[in-house]
Amino acid sequence: MSSTPSFLEGGGAMGERIRRFDWANHPLGAPEGWPAALRMAMSLCLNSSFPTAIYWGPDMFCLYNDAWSEIPADKHPWILGKPAREGWSDIWHIVGPQFEQVLATGEGQAFYDQMLPMVRGGAPRETWWNYSLTAIRHADHSVGGIFNQGNEVTEMVLARRERQAELQRWREMFHQAPAPVAMLRGPQHVFEFANEAYQQLVGGRDVAGKTVQEALPEIVQQGFMELLDGVFHRGEPYLGAGVAVKLQRRPGEPAEDCVLDFIYQPVRNASGEVDGIFVLVTDVTQRARAESQLRITNWQLGEERARLAAMIEAEQRAQGALRRFNETLEAHVKARTTELTRALQAQVAAADRLRATFATELMFQGFLDTAGTLLDANPVSLAAIRSPLEAVVGKPFWETPWFTATPGAANLMRSAVETARGGQTVTHPITINLPGGPRSFHFSLRPVFNAKDEVVGLVPEGVEIPGAPQRRAA
């Protein structure tokens, strides 16, 4: 028949170690004589899968289970049966008062993220713990010891600390960013952060801690709340390009017309749920105004080119008629020649004006015949390929150096020429490899019509997109 007390049965390796311990020469004495309260607590301790220790008596002798044996590290198994003050001498200045208060009052305590500078590997190390201290009472309700359960959370605390440090680094970076940046939290879209550039965008208003609706009331009726709600609930980013917005840029004054590019990017928490929206804005108001003026200039240029083409066509027909009637209508030819001379002088003047307009540095421009052969190109576009005009005139547009270094660009241009010669304008963004590196443009190829509504030429134009994401030709 086994001599092991029933309350010490089981418990794995620590159960075996406690059963073999020389308790007869220990102040606690043989387990058969232990108080009932200690026996019950010991049985719970050994059969628990959670890290559990018992500190018994005024000296708080240490008893523990397998799960707790990892906590004292290199003090295991030496700490078994040792007084708490001796076993935890390295952290007694912290845990000693806690243990003594529980023994004195019988009131349990719980500690979370408690830093304990334990000696591990011969040196004090910063460790963090969640643990509880519960009084073990005798039948007369007096306190006989402490029931201790807990686990180490050092890795979690250090990871949280690193995350906070990383968040602070990001905050500093965004605070110094030249572009307006803000962070919204929760379904009400509360401003958690807005950098100086963002505050300048909204007229210097202090938006921190306010909802978008409270901080920027003028945008509520412009549809932006619906956009934010959609991003938050669907978890999909929203990209706005060239969006007209009315913003109060100066306190007490009416809202101003602005044009903005912006991104609403959903931000997810550790559970994968959307809990905020990152906002990045670019004020493109001045660029939009310049592009509007450029479109007007381009339209005027196109009209002038069309008139010039019509005049050239009329002159060619007139010259044919003069050749046919030269012998019999000499006097008429002379008069007609004089008239045509004046017309040609006017055409030269118009061509000079057109060339001056054509020489703009704001965009790439050229002129093609209806077969796609290059007839002319302005200086800024020639400078981009480092080539004189005579080196590219007469070539198919798609075989020129603007496109030969970009995979897929030649086919894209050939297709655009086919579409434009049919009377349709082609527009799309494109990124091409030029001698100075990749550059992105808003590209258009539009037909030029004569008085009979016939296509007599094609006008390629490219307006560079500053800072645009790189998109290769397909």
Side-chain angles (χ1 to χ4, degrees), residues 68 120 173 227 292 322 326 353 366 400 403 410:
W68 195 87
R120 289 182 171 178
M173 183 184 72
L227 291 178
S292 177
L322 286 172
N326 182 56
R353 290 194 303 274
T400 59
F403 309 108

Side-chain angles (χ1 to χ4, degrees), residues 14 18 21 23 26 28 34 38 42 45 52-57 59-65 68-69 71-72 75-88 92 99 146 148:
M14 280 307 301
I18 291 172
F21 194 86
W23 295 111
H26 188 275
L28 286 179
W34 289 0
L38 176 56
M42 198 67 232
C45 172
T52 305
I54 293 172
Y55 297 94
W56 187 258
D59 290 323
M60 292 179 277
F61 295 113
C62 182
L63 305 164
Y64 55 94
N65 64 4
W68 195 87
S69 64
I71 290 177
K75 293 180 181 181
H76 167 73
W78 167 84
I79 199 172
L80 178 63
K82 293 292 189 294
R85 178 186 294 273
E86 180 181 348
W88 292 120
W92 190 247
F99 284 20
I146 297 173
N148 166 225

Side-chain angles (χ1 to χ4, degrees), residues 148-161:
N148 166 225
Q149 289 186 309
N151 62 294
E152 185 172 3
V153 293
T154 301
E155 290 186 2
M156 185 185 306
V157 170
L158 295 181
R160 186 165 61 240
R161 180 187 296 173

Side-chain angles (χ1 to χ4, degrees), residues 9-26:
E9 292 179 351
M14 280 307 301
E16 182 65 23
R17 187 179 297 277
I18 291 172
R19 288 190 290 272
R20 293 183 179 181
F21 194 86
D22 184 14
W23 295 111
N25 294 311
H26 188 275

Side-chain angles (χ1 to χ4, degrees), residues 194-218:
N195 69 351
E196 185 176 347
Y198 190 95
Q199 291 179 322
Q200 290 179 354
L201 176 69
V202 298
R205 284 175 279 185
D206 183 10
V207 299
K210 300 178 182 178
T211 66
V212 171
Q213 189 168 355
E214 294 169 340
L216 309 174
E218 70 271 22

Side-chain angles (χ1 to χ4, degrees), residues 49 59 62 128 136 171 174 186 188 201 241 263 274 312 337 420 440:
S49 60
D59 290 323
C62 182
W128 298 81
I136 303 174
R171 283 177 178 272
F174 287 139
Q188 299 303 314
L201 176 69
I263 297 174
V274 175
I312 293 173
T337 299
S440 298

Side-chain angles (χ1 to χ4, degrees), residues 15 52 127 213 223 233 282 319 382 405 454:
T52 305
T127 64
Q213 189 168 355
H233 294 298
T282 303
Q319 285 186 349
L382 292 170
E454 298 170 338

Side-chain angles (χ1 to χ4, degrees), residues 210-346:
K210 300 178 182 178
T211 66
V212 171
Q213 189 168 355
E214 294 169 340
L216 309 174
E218 70 271 22
I219 74 168
V220 173
Q221 301 301 322
Q222 299 181 55
F224 290 95
M225 300 307 301
E226 290 79 1
L227 291 178
L228 288 169
D229 289 341
V231 171
F232 189 88
H233 294 298
R234 289 192 297 271
E236 298 176 354
Y238 182 86
L239 173 63
V243 178
V245 185
K246 286 187 176 294
L247 277 180
Q248 187 175 7
R249 305 294 294 273
R250 296 176 178 82
E253 296 188 10
E256 300 179 16
D257 291 324
C258 305
V259 181
L260 306 178
D261 291 346
F262 62 90
I263 297 174
Y264 289 159
Q265 177 66 44
V267 177
R268 299 180 184 274
N269 58 23
S271 301
E273 299 173 340
V274 175
D275 68 350
I277 297 176
F278 176 76
V279 180
L280 174 62
V281 183
T282 303
D283 187 352
V284 295
T285 304
Q286 297 302 321
R287 188 189 77 190
R289 290 172 180 169
E291 289 177 349
S292 177
Q293 185 60 44
L294 185 60
R295 284 192 293 271
I296 294 173
T297 302
N298 289 341
W299 176 81
Q300 294 171 338
L301 181 61
E303 292 297 310
E304 189 68 19
R305 285 176 175 157
R307 285 194 293 271
L308 178 60
M311 292 173 66
I312 293 173
E313 182 182 10
E315 189 272 338
Q316 291 173 344
R317 289 197 302 269
Q319 285 186 349
L322 286 172
R323 284 193 300 270
R324 289 191 297 270
F325 294 101
N326 182 56
E327 293 182 357
T328 57
L329 298 174
E330 183 177 354
H332 178 72
V333 168
K334 290 181 180 180
R336 184 58 176 166
T337 299
T338 302
E339 179 183 347
L340 288 174
T341 299
R342 295 194 188 99
L344 286 173
Q345 291 174 344

